Amino acid sequence: MNQFFDAIVIGAGQAGPSLAGRLTTAGMKVALVERNLFGGTCVNTGCMPTKTLVASAYAAHLARRGTEYGIAIEAPVRIDMKRIKARADTVSTNARTNVEKWLRGMDGLTVIEGHARFEGPDVVRVGESLLAAPRIFINVGGRASVPDMPGVGMVDYLTNTSILKLDTVPRHLVVIGGSYIGLEFAQMYRRFGAEVTVVEMAPRLIAREDEDVSETVREILADEGITVRTSAMCIGFKPHSDGVAVDVDCTSGAPVVVGSHVLLAVGRRPNTDDLGLDNAGVAVDARGYIEVDDRLATNVPGIWALGDCNGRGAFTHTAYNDYEIVAANLLDGAERRVSERVLGYALYIDPPLGRVGMTEAEALKSGRKVLVSKRPMTRVGRAIERGETKGFIKIVADADSKQILGAAVLGVTGDEVIHGILNMMNAGAAYPTLQWAVPVHPTVSELIPTVLGDLKPVE
């Protein structure tokens, strides 16, 4: 059975549905193919369920701190993991249902459930059907990477997907990987009552960040009783009567950590290995990411790749921005490019880390004349009032152009505060413009002009 369309969208993650909406509104006949769950990673196994769990963990943490605020809680805080999981499941299910309902009610769109494979540069097979279109958009996302570590095939392990199925609290969760996903789950489950150990091969956590950020994050986790083992160069696994024995090779501490559960949080890989990309001639890199140009077009005319599968961004918001770029260029006559994107992101531990642009180390390496300013949260009134004074604000700027190069806000509401700086960078405004703004008091954001006023050359 052959079906002909103006466009085919493969994947219903963050980019695909919105793109389908724009294409159908433009009068195109469109097919959207989804083989698993509508909404992609964010809705089903990423942002929405995990941040719901983070919220429950924060509620538990705050309840335990009640006496600091003059609130008496007579009984110990009790964790009902089944209800916590049910709450996260509900948030995810509702979002997924809404995405599917929207797509199925979209005029001009044919929704097809199944596994899409290319049979040529303009032909896709889904089951017994052949779909043809002059424009094909790939939005297939990614999944957890499982590296070939010694013994990994001999033990049970969790990924960021399977850990969401837990409805009991692990006795001892060993997290392999000291980066963004791993640290969020580490703090979350520590607050749920688990013993937690983080094992990281690198000398420090979240190695892409500045050293002061990494060290402060480690201190935040350690203050809550999380054990962090860095420089673990020989990670391996063996079955153990109490769960899993994890071999580590660190500068200090026991050489083996025994956990009841192990979470592998060591990176992501794209869902491109079973799409038949060779049949279409679509080029991928050594890691399987689809190679795209600055407009997100592949090497094959008429095929684009959006979201996690193209290696140009690993976030929900970059996937959505991929849609915006493609739609604007294709339908609005624009000339938008990925290289123009000012990248911001967050680490959702508590307090969160909001980041945008270059780190201080990256700015110095670029050869610019760099200005830096840093203020601890202990000197931020709003943080003091809330009793949440861990972390700091740091801004990096170019001494010659007066442009903000990057910033880190590690502290209460840091994931929100960073947007004021991100917006200024997007606007291309010099930092004095923000320095002389009149912010609302009392907020964390009101300290941004003060921090900018303290910018000094790096010694």
Side-chain angles (χ1 to χ4, degrees):
M1 179 180 178
N2 296 336
Q3 300 181 60
F4 299 93
F5 298 90
D6 296 310
I8 298 170
V9 178
I10 303 175
Q14 285 300 302
S18 295
L19 181 59
R22 281 296 313 273
L23 295 174
T24 53
T25 300
M28 294 188 192
K29 179 184 177 183
V30 181
L32 184 144
V33 185
E34 174 55 57
R35 67 174 170 179
N36 192 12
L37 300 175
F38 291 86
T41 298
C42 175
V43 166
N44 297 289
T45 61
C47 315
M48 299 199 76
T50 59
K51 277 46 181 184
T52 305
L53 293 172
V54 165
S56 292
Y58 178 73
H61 179 66
L62 200 60
R64 294 186 184 104
R65 295 182 57 207
T67 55
E68 298 177 30
Y69 298 89
I71 306 299
I73 298 176
E74 301 302 332
V77 173
R78 185 175 67 86
I79 300 298
D80 186 341
M81 198 64 206
K82 286 182 172 57
R83 290 187 65 181
I84 289 172
K85 177 185 181 299
R87 178 173 175 268
D89 289 346
T90 298
V91 170
S92 184
T93 299
N94 288 345
R96 179 171 62 249
T97 300
N98 288 337
V99 171
E100 183 174 0
K101 182 178 179 181
W102 171 43
L103 290 171
R104 293 193 183 279
M106 191 178 292
D107 291 338
L109 180 67
T110 300
V111 175
I112 301 171
E113 293 189 71
H115 180 191
R117 285 182 57 88
F118 281 90
E119 294 214 346
D122 57 357
V123 179
V124 173
R125 175 177 291 279
V126 184
E128 298 300 317
S129 298
L130 288 177
L131 317 179
R135 306 172 189 86
I136 300 178
F137 305 91
I138 307 170
N139 178 222
V140 294
R143 63 190 187 275
S145 177
V146 180
D148 189 21
M149 294 178 172
V152 71
M154 301 168 54
V155 300
D156 292 329
Y157 58 81
L158 300 165
T159 66
N160 70 290
T161 298
S162 58
I163 196 171
L164 297 177
K165 299 177 183 178
L166 292 182
D167 61 2
T168 58
V169 178
R171 178 186 58 79
H172 182 181
L173 177 65
V174 180
V175 178
I176 309 299
S179 196
Y180 306 92
I181 294 174
L183 297 185
E184 290 177 19
F185 278 110
Q187 188 186 53
M188 176 199 308
Y189 273 94
R190 179 59 185 154
R191 290 180 169 187
F192 289 152
E195 181 182 354
V196 176
T197 299
V198 175
V199 180
E200 167 58 44
M201 293 181 66
R204 57 188 177 89
L205 301 176
I206 44 176
R208 70 180 289 181
E209 306 296 345
D210 281 327
E211 288 191 27
D212 54 356
V213 171
S214 293
E215 186 56 36
T216 303
V217 167
R218 182 169 186 157
E219 291 171 0
I220 288 168
L221 299 178
D223 284 349
E224 295 192 26
I226 296 171
T227 300
V228 177
R229 303 289 300 273
T230 49
S231 300
M233 297 304 296
C234 296
I235 300 173
F237 308 92
K238 296 184 182 68
H240 191 279
S241 58
D242 290 330
V244 179
V246 182
D247 296 325
V248 295
D249 179 16
C250 305
T251 56
S252 62
V256 177
V257 176
V258 177
S260 60
H261 296 70
V262 170
L263 169 65
L264 297 183
V266 289
R268 306 277 292 171
R269 59 177 297 187
N271 293 326
T272 58
D273 46 332
D274 58 359
L275 294 179
L277 294 175
D278 289 346
N279 297 331
V282 175
V284 298
D285 66 16
R287 298 179 298 165
Y289 289 100
I290 298 173
E291 296 180 350
V292 294
D293 63 16
D294 216 17
R295 296 161 59 93
L296 299 167
T298 70
N299 63 303
V300 179
I303 301 179
W304 292 258
L306 302 85
D308 293 3
C309 68
N310 65 24
R312 300 296 294 269
F315 307 101
T316 296
H317 50 281
T318 53
Y320 188 81
N321 183 236
D322 284 358
Y323 141 68
E324 293 178 311
I325 291 170
V326 169
N329 293 341
L330 188 64
L331 302 174
D332 302 331
E335 285 291 335
R336 295 186 63 175
R337 300 180 182 276
V338 178
S339 58
E340 298 170 345
R341 181 156 64 202
V342 177
L343 182 60
Y345 56 90
L347 165 63
Y348 290 96
I349 61 165
D350 173 38
L353 167 66
R355 277 275 292 110
V356 64
M358 293 182 177
T359 63
E360 179 182 350
E362 289 170 338
L364 291 171
K365 190 176 180 179
S366 73
R368 294 174 170 85
K369 294 180 181 178
V370 176
L371 304 175
V372 176
S373 181
K374 183 175 175 179
R375 173 170 288 238
M377 283 289 172
T378 53
R379 295 179 58 199
V380 176
R382 185 66 169 145
I384 294 170
E385 293 153 8
R386 292 182 55 155
E388 300 180 359
T389 56
K390 295 178 180 178
F392 57 84
I393 301 171
K394 181 165 72 169
I395 301 176
V396 181
D398 187 306
D400 295 325
S401 68
K402 307 297 184 186
Q403 296 290 309
I404 299 174
L405 299 176
V409 183
L410 175 55
V412 58
T413 68
D415 54 327
E416 295 285 351
V417 174
I418 199 67
H419 284 87
I421 299 172
L422 189 155
N423 291 340
M424 293 298 294
M425 293 176 67
N426 269 291
Y431 72 77
T433 303
L434 182 56
Q435 181 182 346
W436 295 110
V438 182
V440 173
H441 173 82
T443 61
V444 176
S445 294
E446 72 174 319
L447 267 295
I448 297 299
T450 303
V451 176
L452 289 169
D454 289 338
L455 284 167
K456 294 180 177 60
V458 178
E459 298 180 358

